[in-house]
Amino acid sequence: MKIVIVGGVAGGASAATRARRINPLAEITILEKGRYISFANCGLPYHVGGEIETREKLLVATPELFWRRFRVAVKTEHEVTKIDRNGRCVHAVDLKSDSELSFPYDRLILSTGSEPNKPVANTEWPVNVSHLWTLPDMDRIIESLRSRNVRKAVVVGGGFVGLEVVEQLHRLGIEVSLVERDKQILAPHDALFARIIENHLREKGVGLKLGADLQDFTIENGLATAAVLSDGSTIETDLIVVGAGVRPRTALAVEAGLTIGQCGGVTVNSVMQTSDPNIYAVGDMVELVHGVLNEPVRIPLAGPANRAGRIAGEHAARGEATAMGKVLGTAIVRVFDLTAACTGLNEKLLAARKIPFKSAIIQAASHAGYFPGAQSMQLKIVYSPGDGKLLGAQAVGGEGVDKRIDVIATAIHFGATVWQLAELDLAYAPPYGSAKDPVHMAAFAACNDLSQFPNLVAPDSVLNGMQIVDVRTAKERAALPLPNAIAIEIDDFPERWQELDRSKPTVVVCHSGKRAHIGACWLRGQGFRDVSNLTGGMAIRSLISKP
Ligand code: FAD
């Protein structure tokens, strides 16, 4: 049995080691066009900033180790140029000697990853303009930092990689500007949650340019000295790092006639076989089934690549394997003092597909408020108004964001409703959480909403024509004014609710939605028929008007 694997990083390396564990007799070869295999690409930004101090730490495994421990032959600097499906072999070029070779296979596993999008593609990039996608990219950026006096940098792309680079360059004392083509950073998040991170970037002194793309750069003495943007503006810079998204690297698969799906990735079945059952594909280059949409999507992330690699390796080695689970796009990024994480679908996507949804936003502490060090987070769950099924979640805040999103991702994976989320038995002691965890609080808010106890309205709802009741303190109202509202502080409610008009549709508002819930319940109890709570409160609504 000859198993040949093309691409030796996340998916490819996982496939190789799993295949070996399953089948000690198979002849396994990895062909990798780069100089390294199994390197920690997710760690690259952190070595640029020095948080991961030594470069060697990124080299998770070497070709020597693969041979010594697994008897997997690794051929680095071997680029596969063609798949001969009839002859069951791949053609490759040894990039060191420029010689052509062919490698026969019984099973072929493709894990060729993705290609970073390249703005200003028609101009040859100077050395101080780079992607951060490979170890050589990272080396080039570090070389720029070492050899030149880099005081200013422009990062293009406000996705996960771009934000990590912004944080790490800022850590080095560099004045960083972030350029994002969209009107918001962090596309998997809804705009108001992304805005929390945008505001945090500005607080840290990062220049933020939204709605503009890198169009060109000014070059002097062979180096980029300014980024020229699509809105006509320019930003002076000593370094440009581009993280403007990726596209699947499918040329080999296309040329071999393998089926390509509607999202541009290779089509695979549940055990990662392509339209040719002897050829598997995994990682950034494939389409996987989304757990909520139940349709193919591309999720270029390390988790699915590693899990799929394991499945392909197993199936290639013994002809059977457990099916690949559906994906939710669960992702997380640290941006200075905040963490942003998400899973499942966001409102933008649901609205674009005309899928009905509702959402509940809560503000909660990472652990019991009376225990020192609690950090605040905003947590949003999105659910179906019909059956309460969870559709997605987003969180932004300090400590504990990761745990909450992972719990909700698990719940979504098993098809849970908001009522089932509210039932989860989660670990609690004051240093770790609260007896009613933020996950529960979000679920409670959603359950209240669906049972009209009272219902929630979105933070960006138009409130004109409604009786708006502001239950915050005078100080809070002064800090974040809410026009046209009747102010009745929550503790004055029992005495003053009679001032309100029972016949009008009424929305109760506080800072986070918690006190507003008490006020709204009070009014319902007093016979108000149409009363709702502004979910997320002024903490979220106030973000609408900000730039
Ligand atoms: P890769 O790991 O990219 O491997 C593909 C390999 O195939 C490459 O080494 C390439 O040289 C080789 N190859 C391509 N064509 C050929 C050919 N013709 N012949 C031979 N070899 C070929 N994901 C997360 O989930 N969390 C993170 O925090 C995260 N951070 C990231 C940070 C950075 C800077 C980068 C670059 C990526 C990050 N990712 C992260 C994404 C994650 O690394 C990828 O989703 C994952 O590596 C994809 O695995 P893969 O096997 O499909 O491709």
Side-chain angles (χ1 to χ4, degrees), residues 6-12 31-34 36 39 41-45 78-81 111-114 132-133 161 164 249 252 282-285 300-303 305 332:
V6 186
V9 188
L31 302 172
E32 165 55 56
K33 75 172 178 180
Y36 305 92
F39 66 90
N41 29 18
C42 308
L44 300 182
H78 278 61
E79 178 167 7
V80 173
T81 49
S111 189
T112 53
S114 47
L132 179 54
W133 200 245
V161 174
E164 288 170 355
R249 200 181 266 139
L252 279 177
V282 302
D284 287 3
M285 65 184 297
L301 289 172
I332 189 160

Side-chain angles (χ1 to χ4, degrees), residues 163-457:
L163 288 169
E164 288 170 355
V165 175
V166 165
E167 187 202 60
Q168 292 298 308
L169 293 178
H170 183 277
R171 187 173 191 267
L172 297 174
I174 295 168
E175 190 185 319
V176 189
S177 301
L178 175 63
V179 175
E180 164 57 51
R181 183 175 47 184
D182 204 350
K183 290 271 184 271
Q184 68 164 83
I185 61 164
L186 277 175
H189 288 253
D190 287 316
L192 294 183
F193 267 50
R195 197 147 297 164
I196 302 171
I197 299 287
E198 289 162 8
N199 289 343
H200 188 55
L201 287 167
R202 291 189 184 99
E203 276 161 26
K204 292 288 177 183
V206 174
L208 195 53
K209 193 87 180 171
L210 298 175
D213 203 357
L214 179 69
Q215 200 149 63
D216 204 351
F217 18 76
T218 310
I219 300 177
E220 283 172 32
N221 300 323
L223 293 174
T225 53
V228 181
L229 307 186
S230 52
D231 64 359
S233 63
T234 56
I235 307 175
E236 279 183 29
T237 188
D238 305 307
L239 175 73
I240 301 177
V241 182
V242 179
V246 295
R247 56 187 188 283
R249 200 181 266 139
T250 53
L252 279 177
V254 169
E255 213 245 356
L258 302 177
T259 305
I260 303 295
Q262 60 194 21
C263 307
V266 176
T267 300
V268 289
N269 65 13
S270 64
V271 288
M272 311 311 297
Q273 284 168 305
T274 65
S275 49
D276 178 338
N278 294 317
I279 305 180
Y280 299 76
V282 302
D284 287 3
M285 65 184 297
V286 302
E287 295 183 358
L288 297 170
V289 180
H290 195 279
V292 178
L293 286 174
N294 212 20
E295 58 185 63
V297 289
R298 284 198 314 102
I299 305 274
L301 289 172
N306 277 273
R307 295 199 301 278
R310 191 170 181 272
I311 288 165
E314 178 163 341
H315 200 274
R318 77 157 156 224
E320 58 184 53
T322 318
M324 175 73 186
K326 294 178 181 176
V327 288
L328 294 172
T330 309
I332 189 160
V333 65
R334 185 189 72 190
V335 187
F336 298 105
D337 308 332
L338 294 179
T339 298
C342 61
T343 186
L345 303 179
N346 59 34
E347 290 190 359
K348 277 178 301 185
L349 211 140
L350 288 160
R353 286 170 174 258
K354 300 193 169 37
I355 299 173
F357 66 88
K358 289 214 73 182
S359 56
I361 301 172
I362 59 130
Q363 188 175 34
S366 53
H367 59 246
Y370 58 81
F371 190 87
Q375 294 177 12
S376 172
M377 75 178 76
Q378 300 282 352
L379 174 62
K380 167 178 180 172
I381 56 173
V382 187
Y383 44 93
S384 166
D387 56 8
K389 206 164 168 178
L390 282 163
L391 303 173
Q394 296 160 49
V396 174
E399 208 177 84
V401 160
D402 53 346
K403 175 163 93 167
R404 276 62 192 213
I405 286 297
D406 277 347
V407 166
I408 297 171
T410 310
I412 296 176
H413 177 86
F414 290 109
T417 64
V418 293
W419 290 283
Q420 289 165 327
L421 193 68
E423 286 171 7
L424 291 182
D425 190 20
L426 302 175
Y428 159 62
Y432 300 104
S434 297
K436 281 180 280 188
D437 191 83
V439 167
H440 294 128
M441 295 306 290
F444 294 156
C447 295
N448 287 336
D449 178 33
L450 293 181
S451 48
Q452 302 279 311
F453 185 70
N455 65 310
L456 299 172
V457 293

